[in-house]
Amino acid sequence: MHAESSSAANAEPIQELLVDQLRDILHAEKQLTKALPKMLKAARSAQLQSLLQIHLAETEEQIERLNEALKLLGAPARAKACKGMAGLVEEGEEVMSEGEEKEDAAADLALIAAAQRVEHYEMAAYTTARNLALQLRQPAIVQLLTMSLGEEQNAGQLLDQVAQPLMSVAKMPNAVE
Ligand code: FE
Ligand code: ZN
Ligand code: FE
C-alpha cells in the first residue's frame, strides 16, 4: 500500500469504490442467507450440515457489519445486484438437483465444491474491500471487514476438513467399475 499517495485529492474515488464494493458484498451475503438453508437441507453428512448452519449465523452477522461499515462512510445501506454470487448460487442449485441421484459422499463433495467457490469469491471481495479501507485510514471498517474475512477463511478451511473423510468413502464404490 502506498499510504503517502492517499491525499485528499484522490481519496474520493477510492471511497466511492469502497461503497460500491460494500454494496455488492451486501447483496452477495443477502443471497447467501437464502441459499445456505437450502444447501443445509441438501447436505447428507451431519458435519457438513452443522458447518453450513454455523456459517448461516455468521453470514447474518456479516450483513450487520456491512450495514455498519456503510453507515461509517455516510452511505445508505443499499445493496447493489451482485451477479457473481447469483451465478454461484445458480451453480449450487444445479449441484443440488444433480446430487439427488448421487451417493451421500459424492453428493456432499459436489456441494462442498460449490460452497468453496462461494467462500473464495467472498474472500476476494473482503480482501479488496479491506485494502481500500486501509488506504482510506478507516480502522473501524478495517476491523469489521477483517472479522468477516476471518470467518470466510475459516469456513473454507472447515469445508476442506469435512471433504477429507468423504473423499475416502466416495472413491470406494467407483473403484470397482
Ligand atoms: Fe459471507
Ligand atoms: Zn459481486
Ligand atoms: Fe461465506
Side-chain angles (χ1 to χ4, degrees):
M1 285 284 112
H2 306 279
E4 68 280 359
S5 69
S6 161
S7 67
N10 63 15
E12 205 180 307
I14 297 172
Q15 170 140 348
E16 242 171 65
L17 181 58
L18 177 57
V19 167
D20 207 64
Q21 295 285 315
L22 294 174
R23 284 181 173 155
D24 182 289
I25 306 173
L26 181 59
H27 185 240
E29 299 289 15
K30 283 184 174 173
Q31 291 180 73
L32 274 185
T33 58
K34 290 178 195 140
L36 280 170
K38 292 181 202 166
M39 292 173 83
L40 204 159
K41 252 183 245 167
R44 319 262 176 101
S45 95
Q47 288 102 312
L48 184 53
Q49 283 172 355
S50 78
L51 188 170
L52 295 172
Q53 182 68 63
I54 290 165
H55 201 52
L56 174 59
E58 286 172 340
T59 300
E60 276 154 8
E61 279 179 57
Q62 290 169 0
I63 288 174
E64 290 314 307
R65 289 185 200 123
L66 290 164
N67 285 331
E68 202 177 329
L70 283 164
K71 201 195 248 176
L72 286 166
L73 290 168
R78 225 185 297 123
K80 167 184 174 285
C82 177
K83 292 174 192 164
M85 185 60 79
L88 292 173
V89 166
E90 208 179 306
E91 285 190 1
E93 274 160 11
E94 256 172 49
V95 160
M96 284 187 275
S97 63
E98 287 164 7
E100 286 169 19
E101 289 144 42
K102 287 184 181 167
E103 301 286 332
D104 287 355
D108 276 358
L109 283 171
L111 200 56
I112 289 170
Q116 275 293 22
R117 288 178 184 234
V118 168
E119 296 318 319
H120 283 259
Y121 182 78
E122 292 182 299
M123 284 178 221
Y126 279 114
T127 301
T128 302
R130 189 180 61 168
N131 287 342
L132 294 170
L134 272 169
Q135 183 67 29
L136 289 168
R137 296 171 205 220
Q138 290 276 4
I141 298 174
V142 170
Q143 204 187 350
L144 290 166
L145 297 174
T146 298
M147 274 192 275
S148 296
L149 177 60
E151 289 171 352
E152 310 298 12
Q153 287 166 335
N154 185 52
Q157 277 166 12
L158 292 174
L159 284 166
D160 280 340
Q161 277 174 29
V162 171
Q164 280 304 318
L166 294 175
M167 284 194 273
S168 44
V169 174
K171 74 182 175 193
M172 278 154 55
N174 295 332
V176 196
E177 289 175 354

